[in-house]
Amino acid sequence: MEVLVIEDEAPIREFEVTYLRDAGYGTIEAADGQTAVELFVEHKPDLAIIDINLPKMSGLDVCKAIRTTSTMPILIVTARDSDEDEVKGLSMGADDYIRKPFNPNVLVARVQALLRRHDRTRRRHFKGLVIDPETMSVMKDGKSITLTTTRFNLLLALASHPRAVLSRAQLVNQIYSDPSSHFVYDRTIDAHIKALRQSIETDPKNPQFIETVFGSGYRFIGEPEK
């Protein structure tokens, strides 16, 4: 994950970058709005932290420019008493705001929360298959496929961790909002997988999306669309 940090005050920018890198994020830095937009176009980061008051191009204009082509999360940084800036930033498409001075751990927590939320709603594109969490819809070769909520959640859980083997217990935890209230046998998950394959696979006996890993569980093997 890569974060674009846009802040004209070097000590604050370095402070943000240090904590983000310690949390495992890659960072790109910009000291003015114009450079920020150029770096956004070049690098396609996963999230942007934008200070409102920037030289050359305001943070609000940077936010507006990013929103013309991207739905990535945007966190705006405002002064302590700047309700108007916060309202303007959110109306320009920012997802959240944080006020100076701020606790760096709170900044990192906001970034993590925004990325998690964005990942849950991000459309997944694979060769022959599109999964849209926002509308709970699935398209196979351009045609809409109807799935039950449980089977949609099962597909989304697998597709959100491509190539990773997920056990039946892990799948139960991801497809039910309250797993403790559901006593699910292994064969129940197997039955859902079988039905899901009937819906999305051209040849269920030779799957191109969901592979069985005997003794372990299942994994999603669909090829990402380039």
Side-chain angles (χ1 to χ4, degrees):
M1 291 286 184
E2 200 163 44
V3 178
L4 174 57
V5 179
I6 311 165
E7 170 62 62
D8 62 320
E9 296 184 54
I12 296 177
R13 189 173 66 252
E14 291 167 6
F15 174 72
E16 293 175 342
V17 165
T18 296
Y19 275 83
L20 288 166
R21 287 179 177 170
D22 285 348
Y25 297 105
T27 57
I28 310 162
E29 302 175 45
D32 64 79
Q34 184 177 317
T35 302
V37 172
E38 292 170 356
L39 289 173
F40 160 72
V41 172
E42 180 182 354
H43 292 274
K44 299 292 190 297
D46 299 288
L47 179 144
I49 300 173
I50 307 175
D51 184 54
I52 291 291
N53 298 310
L54 294 171
K56 297 185 181 180
M57 186 177 182
S58 76
L60 293 175
D61 286 337
V62 172
C63 184
K64 184 178 180 181
I66 289 173
R67 276 291 171 262
T68 61
T69 60
S70 175
T71 60
M72 76 170 185
I74 295 176
L75 175 64
I76 56 172
V77 179
T78 70
R80 178 179 291 277
D81 300 312
S82 56
D83 291 344
E84 187 177 345
D85 281 345
E86 290 158 12
V87 171
K88 285 181 179 178
L90 294 172
S91 68
M92 289 287 188
D95 298 278
D96 198 1
Y97 65 86
I98 190 167
R99 295 186 179 189
K100 293 179 179 178
F102 50 80
N103 183 317
N105 293 316
V106 172
L107 175 73
V108 171
R110 294 282 185 88
V111 167
Q112 291 171 334
L114 284 173
L115 286 170
R116 281 197 302 270
R117 191 169 74 198
H118 182 68
D119 188 63
R120 285 196 296 269
T121 60
R122 177 178 55 83
R123 185 178 295 180
R124 274 77 168 169
H125 292 265
F126 301 93
K127 288 184 179 179
L129 193 71
V130 178
I131 307 166
D132 189 341
E134 281 199 304
T135 59
M136 290 189 68
S137 61
V138 177
M139 299 288 287
K140 169 71 188 303
D141 294 329
K143 296 180 180 179
S144 179
I145 292 176
T146 301
L147 296 177
T148 65
T149 299
T150 298
R151 288 169 194 164
F152 177 84
N153 289 339
L154 181 59
L155 175 60
L156 181 60
L158 288 162
S160 297
H161 303 86
R163 303 290 169 179
V165 178
L166 297 182
S167 68
R168 293 168 179 81
Q170 288 174 312
L171 289 170
V172 168
N173 286 333
Q174 294 202 40
I175 65 178
Y176 295 108
S177 57
D178 183 10
S180 63
S181 67
H182 292 79
F183 184 76
V184 181
Y185 292 99
D186 284 356
R187 63 176 177 270
T188 304
I189 293 295
D190 295 343
H192 282 306
I193 290 287
K194 182 178 179 179
L196 187 53
R197 282 178 172 152
Q198 291 291 336
S199 297
I200 67 170
E201 301 284 5
T202 302
D203 179 3
K205 292 183 178 179
N206 296 286
Q208 65 184 98
F209 295 112
I210 300 174
E211 179 181 67
T212 301
V213 181
F214 293 101
S216 298
Y218 298 96
R219 69 176 156 211
F220 189 84
I221 56 172
E223 293 185 41
E225 191 173 69
K226 296 180 180 179

